[in-house]
Amino acid sequence: MPNITVRKMSGLQGEITPPGDKSISHRAIMLSSIARGKSRISNLLQGFDCQATIDAFSKMGISIHTSNDKTATIEGKGLRGLKKPDSGLYLANSGTTMRLLMGILAGQDFEAMLTGDESLSKRPMKRVTYPLRLMGADIAGKDDANLAPITINGTVLKPIDYKSPVASAQVKSSIIFAGLYADGITTIAEPFKSRDHTERMLRLFGANLKEEDLSVSVEGLGSSELKPQSISVPGDISSAAFFIVLGILAEDAQIKINHCGVNSTRRGILDALGRMGAKIELAERIESFEPIADIIVKRSPLRATKITKDEIPLLIDEVPLIALCATQAEGETIIEGIGELRVKETDRVSSVVTNLKAFGADIEAEGDSLIIKGPRKLKGAKVESFGDHRTAMMSVIAGAIAEGKTTVDDTGCIATSFPEFEHILASITNTGDSL
Ligand code: S3P
């Protein structure tokens, strides 16, 4: 099993370009596959999760050609052009693939079975299968279609007006995708705003969507088709975040992050760190359908903050990093409304608390909140990833600011979202202890 050893870094100077955004890459593959004609995607993320999406659509008859320069050409066969796969679709560790794909499969005219690895097989699917069933979808699976393997027998769908109990872009996107196949207007409302990449990209492909505060309505496409596009995927702010935090916490650091997505529904970490006193400079521009920025971060003293539950969807994948920053901030940081983190690739509340405690942090989970008292000097530790890419990378960054040596075990999972992580970390000029 691969592991990463890291020692305290300082004097960091460097410039990095994060890989393509994972959420946007999944959506680009999916929408290109169900549009009619050839789409071209550049800066596509080449991690395990997006490969699961590519494999699934390839098995359903879509020709997807990827090249080493991170471009993909996809010959979409139209809304109803997918073919029944010869066997089950194995989606590895990718929750986004499973949940979004269910929305597309619900409207096809064949049956497909979705499976995943041990972690994905434990993640809750009812949040998607329940509203899809309200639309008429024919879905079966363990625990009343809550757990994979899930079998979907595509059928004619009807529109719904649905209030989701969870603020989840995966749920929202799945229902919006199914809405493309329904005859009429499908509306989904969520308790707090979640990432809106699906809405932005679907508009680009020609769908008719309306957004109002916390709800999105989509019109079924009937016999019309999505139009193929040329898409440039912005850098993933959730991957960039590891280097943003490293630049803020490491001694004498300054790091520039190029071409990073800064969509307002994803940049919660920048806002939270700004409140904590972090020095962050942004030069923002709009690139086709998503805002992009070059970001410069510098070592900054931090103060504690409170993250409220309405903010969580805007920084859901960055909570482990915000917790790490809080260990270095003056005062008590409270992160509220973190229940959703318990059903990620692992129970991320427990993995983050366990690992940060191993480094000497004062952190506790109380109900749905994390309470972190700082600042605390972190000491190198031997920790594990729990098979979770974000826990693994956060632990490496903790090791890079801790005294002494840190080893993070079982780091193969990092390639889920950020295959070049270790290589990029090693590329930053470091006058501290060597890696
Ligand atoms: C994602 C949405 C988030 C996020 C996940 C990717 C997406 O999950 O945690 O990494 O691409 O829609 P939820 O929407 O379930 O919170």
Side-chain angles (χ1 to χ4, degrees), residues 1 22 56 59 64 69 86 99 102 118 120 127 133 137 152 185 194 199 226 265 334-335 343 382 404:
M1 276 198 286
K22 179 158 85 69
K59 275 186 124 183
I64 303 181
D69 65 352
D86 295 336
R99 294 192 178 120
M102 281 196 258
E118 204 187 323
L120 185 55
R127 53 184 58 202
R133 278 174 162 176
I152 305 197
I185 305 233
S194 66
E199 295 88 311
L226 298 174
T265 60
I334 302 180
I335 310 178
V343 289
K382 190 163 166 40

Side-chain angles (χ1 to χ4, degrees), residues 111-303:
E111 184 181 283
M113 185 175 71
L114 307 182
T115 63
D117 68 6
E118 204 187 323
S119 148
L120 185 55
S121 305
K122 286 190 197 132
R123 297 183 65 187
M125 295 297 148
K126 192 80 143 275
R127 53 184 58 202
V128 173
T129 58
Y130 175 76
L132 286 177
R133 278 174 162 176
L134 294 179
M135 297 179 81
D138 180 359
I139 307 184
K142 273 206 291 193
D143 188 20
D144 196 20
N146 190 35
L147 298 174
I150 298 271
T151 303
I152 305 197
N153 197 355
T155 187
V156 176
L157 300 178
K158 52 179 185 285
I160 50 168
D161 188 341
Y162 182 65
K163 241 185 164 62
S164 171
V166 276
S168 157
Q170 296 184 350
V171 174
K172 177 175 63 174
S173 302
S174 188
I175 304 313
I176 292 175
F177 284 170
L180 296 173
Y181 293 88
D183 185 12
I185 305 233
T186 295
T187 301
I188 171 151
E190 49 186 352
F192 306 112
K193 181 84 179 162
S194 66
R195 64 191 67 187
D196 67 356
H197 303 304
T198 296
E199 295 88 311
R200 287 169 182 264
M201 200 184 291
L202 258 178
R203 275 206 187 92
L204 194 70
F205 276 81
N208 196 3
L209 276 100
K210 253 200 214 115
E211 280 171 83
E212 237 173 81
D213 294 335
L214 297 173
S215 77
V216 185
S217 300
V218 60
E219 195 179 334
L221 283 174
S223 57
S224 47
E225 295 282 9
L226 298 174
K227 292 172 196 60
Q229 297 299 319
S230 191
I231 288 174
S232 162
V233 179
D236 196 328
I237 190 166
S238 298
S239 299
F242 296 101
F243 291 92
I244 291 173
V245 166
L246 181 64
I248 289 167
L249 297 183
E251 280 168 18
D252 301 324
Q254 170 159 327
I255 299 180
K256 181 171 180 221
I257 290 116
N258 295 317
H259 198 258
C260 184
V262 286
N263 178 317
S264 60
T265 60
R266 288 291 296 283
R267 54 181 282 167
I269 182 161
L270 299 181
D271 301 329
L273 291 175
R275 285 204 306 270
M276 294 173 87
K279 295 180 199 130
I280 304 176
E281 286 170 33
L282 275 191
E284 197 169 330
R285 59 191 184 273
I286 293 280
E287 206 166 274
S288 71
F289 61 112
E290 291 277 352
I292 308 285
D294 295 331
I295 304 173
I296 297 175
V297 290
K298 291 183 190 146
R299 155 86 171 176
S300 321
L302 298 180
R303 52 183 174 270

